């Protein structure tokens, strides 16, 4: 354990005994840089109702029952969101084991496409839940690219500008997600995608999340326990 974590534990001992935890902070609306709009609120209500009915049975066979632990884990929420948006073009930044990619794929129509980016090819991540057959019909593909670099992201201009839904789930190191946001603004996302950020309650994500000026909604109670944030990437605010 590093000294920072040790000091935190001494100064702020966890009020609940648990192996997993994160320190966070809640902020009042007067410091929020943006607020939820009608689109986000009604989309959230419909998506949550759908997530309640949706069970990821096939995915649970591969990835374990945790994929259906909702709220708490976000897999049912992202699957329900794909269905509710009628999303046909999806971008994920951060494939990792492929669990969220497969959750989204379960609701994708036959003419839909998910492009999932990582800096590490999925085969090199062990264990993972992907199989070659998941890529067979062309709806799912992985690209290896570091999108912090604008020129790299611009090579995928059509993928990003055609997206209905972008799921940002990379390093959460306090820098990377900010770079993605700046790159999205510079590229422009004219289709007004729903952009979902994971881990927005993480200490290192609090500032980045708060600074977003596009309409946004913290949906943590219906998503991932580490924080789930939705942004309506509205063209007027770019
Ligand atoms: C939390 S995991 C993603 C989990 C996945 N979205 C899910 O819900 O199943 C984070 C992933 O982001 C990847 N990553 C780190 N930096 C990245 C970057 N610059 N671009 C794309 N992916 C990156 C890591 O290699 C890792 O596999």
């Amino acid at each position: 354990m590093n000294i920072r974590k040790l000091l935190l534990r001494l100064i702020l001992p966890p009020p609940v005994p648990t192996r997993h935890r994160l320190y966070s902070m809640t902020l009042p609306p007067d410091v929020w840089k943006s607020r939820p709009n009608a689109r986000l609120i009604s989309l959230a209500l419909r998506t949550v109702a759908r997530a309640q009915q949706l069970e990821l049975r096939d995915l649970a066979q591969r990835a374990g029952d945790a994929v259906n632990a909702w709220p708490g884990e976000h897999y049912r929420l992202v699957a329900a969101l794909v269905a509710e948006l009628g999303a046909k073009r999806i971008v994920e930044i951060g494939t990792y084991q492929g669990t969220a990619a497969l959750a989204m794929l379960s609701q994708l129509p036959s003419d839909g496409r998910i492009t999932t980016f990582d800096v590490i090819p999925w085969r090199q991540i062990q264990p993972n839940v992907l199989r070659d057959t998941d890529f067979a019909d062309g709806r799912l593909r992985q690209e290896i690219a570091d999108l912090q670099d604008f020129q790299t992201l611009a090579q995928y201009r059509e993928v990003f500008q055609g997206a209905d839904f972008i799921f940002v789930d990379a390093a959460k190191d306090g820098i990377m997600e900010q770079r993605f946001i700046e790159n999205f603004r510079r590229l422009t996302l004219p289709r007004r995608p729903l952009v979902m950020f994971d881990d927005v309650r993480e200490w290192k994500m609090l500032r980045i999340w708060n600074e977003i000026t596009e309409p946004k909604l913290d949906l943590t109670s219906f998503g991932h326990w580490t924080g789930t944030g939705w942004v309506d990437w509205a063209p007027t605010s770019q």
Side-chain angles (χ1 to χ4, degrees):
M1 187 184 296
N2 68 32
I3 188 81
R4 200 162 160 259
K5 283 192 174 161
L6 189 67
L7 278 172
L8 259 177
R9 252 184 94 165
L10 289 172
I11 300 165
L12 290 171
V16 176
T18 168
R19 203 160 58 84
H20 296 296
R21 63 179 162 267
L22 63 85
Y23 283 91
S24 191
M25 183 177 278
T26 58
L27 300 166
D30 62 296
V31 301
W32 299 354
K33 291 283 168 69
S34 66
R35 301 184 60 81
N37 61 8
R39 179 194 182 207
L40 286 171
I41 291 171
S42 68
L43 181 64
L45 292 171
R46 287 183 276 119
T47 304
V48 168
R50 192 185 277 262
Q52 193 176 15
Q53 305 300 325
L54 191 151
E55 231 187 294
L56 297 164
R57 289 198 189 90
D58 292 345
L59 184 55
Q61 304 236 322
R62 287 201 220 176
D65 291 339
V67 295
N68 283 310
W70 177 87
E73 299 295 341
H74 55 208
Y75 304 106
R76 279 165 61 178
L77 185 80
V78 289
L81 179 58
V82 168
E84 201 54 51
L85 279 172
K88 289 194 172 177
R89 292 289 178 273
I90 297 170
V91 175
E92 179 183 40
I93 305 182
T95 314
Y96 191 48
Q97 298 174 317
T99 315
L102 290 183
M104 295 188 284
L105 192 64
S106 75
Q107 303 299 310
L108 196 71
S110 57
D111 58 347
R113 179 173 298 165
I114 298 173
T115 308
T116 180
F117 289 86
D118 209 298
V119 287
I120 304 170
W122 65 269
R123 283 177 214 281
Q124 288 177 24
I125 293 179
Q126 293 298 334
N128 71 65
V129 296
L130 290 163
R131 295 176 186 156
D132 284 316
T133 48
D134 297 322
F135 299 88
D137 65 7
R139 289 183 307 147
L140 176 64
R141 66 184 167 139
Q142 188 184 45
E143 297 286 344
I144 303 304
D146 186 346
L147 304 165
Q148 293 178 89
D149 171 45
F150 180 74
Q151 296 311 329
T152 307
L153 185 116
Q155 288 171 20
Y156 297 96
R157 181 182 299 272
E158 284 173 20
V159 172
F160 278 88
Q161 291 194 331
D164 314 298
F165 173 33
I166 300 175
F167 179 27
V168 181
D169 189 9
K172 282 80 66 158
D173 58 0
I175 300 166
M176 192 179 285
E177 278 68 19
Q178 186 60 42
R179 292 198 179 126
F180 296 150
I181 290 166
E182 283 159 18
N183 288 344
F184 294 164
R185 292 202 178 110
R186 192 168 158 197
L187 187 74
T188 72
L189 303 173
R191 281 178 58 88
R192 195 176 173 172
L194 193 290
V195 183
M196 173 165 149
F197 290 87
D198 191 27
D199 299 338
V200 295
R201 297 279 181 102
E202 286 260 12
W203 195 265
K204 285 184 176 171
M205 280 297 288
L206 290 176
R207 186 189 54 79
I208 293 174
W209 172 249
N210 193 54
E211 290 293 315
I212 291 172
T213 49
E214 288 77 7
K216 62 178 187 266
L217 174 64
D218 182 330
L219 210 66
T220 303
S221 294
F222 294 105
H224 195 188
W225 67 275
T226 56
T228 295
W230 284 6
V231 180
D232 177 4
W233 208 272
T236 49
S237 56
Q238 287 172 14

